[in-house]
Amino acid sequence: MMKRIILIVLLFTGFAVKAQHNPDDQILSDNWDVVGGVDFKIVKDSEMYAVYTPEIKKHANKPFELEGYIVPIKDGMKQTKFMLSTLPINQCFYCGKNGVPIMVLVEMAEPIKFTYKTIVVKGTLKLNPGNAMDNPPISLVNAKSI
């Protein structure tokens, strides 16, 4: 359980192992820059909290759009809850190979079919100020594919 929590936290923090990413696959956007600006404060081995920038706080509880790659957290071709990444799953160190990209938890209003191509989703941006070792610090809820 603890290994899983640490993995999720690393995925959110954007810590990266030196990687050979294909730059053509990397999704770059102003909204990903907003998400990527979030930092983390480690209190102790079992506690870490997101430090939200004023920029991301402006978007909290408002519609927010991201393009990215689905990284499933459960098996199945239909996904309702997954991680959205700036890199494809085959370029994620923990999911395939290479470094750890920035990720956001997405909770869809309706299931979406898994694809290796990018998707664009729009939902309400939620910031979780609780312990990031237990819950994702950034999520898009009630999201829809656009």
Side-chain angles (χ1 to χ4, degrees):
M1 177 67 172
M2 186 57 131
K3 287 180 185 177
R4 180 176 170 208
I5 292 171
I6 291 170
L7 168 63
I8 289 171
V9 169
L10 287 175
L11 294 176
F12 282 110
T13 62
F15 290 132
V17 176
K18 285 197 175 189
Q20 301 300 318
H21 298 300
N22 179 347
D24 295 335
D25 290 340
Q26 180 87 42
I27 301 296
L28 303 172
S29 72
D30 291 341
N31 282 358
W32 276 115
D33 289 344
V34 169
V35 171
V38 174
D39 203 359
F40 290 84
K41 178 181 177 184
I42 298 172
V43 176
K44 54 185 174 180
D45 288 346
S46 60
E47 286 186 46
M48 179 170 25
Y49 297 90
V51 179
Y52 298 109
T53 62
E55 181 67 20
I56 200 165
K57 287 179 182 178
K58 286 193 278 187
H59 296 282
N61 301 311
K62 295 180 181 171
F64 198 76
E65 182 179 309
L66 284 172
E67 177 182 8
Y69 298 93
I70 295 174
V71 177
I73 53 178
K74 290 188 177 181
D75 291 338
M77 286 306 292
K78 296 272 183 168
Q79 299 288 314
T80 54
K81 192 173 187 180
F82 55 88
M83 303 304 292
L84 191 70
S85 169
T86 58
L87 285 170
I89 194 169
N90 68 342
Q91 291 194 43
C92 168
F93 179 77
Y94 292 98
C95 311
K97 56 184 178 178
N98 290 332
V100 180
I102 298 168
M103 291 193 190
V104 169
L105 178 67
V106 176
E107 296 180 26
M108 298 294 291
E110 296 182 14
I112 186 171
K113 186 177 179 184
F114 174 79
T115 179
Y116 287 104
K117 296 178 182 178
T118 63
I119 62 165
V120 179
V121 292
K122 185 174 188 175
T124 303
L125 185 73
K126 294 290 183 180
L127 304 179
N128 179 1
N131 185 354
M133 297 287 248
D134 298 326
N135 295 296
I138 305 168
S139 59
L140 278 181
V141 299
N142 201 28
K144 296 183 178 165
S145 179
I146 55 173

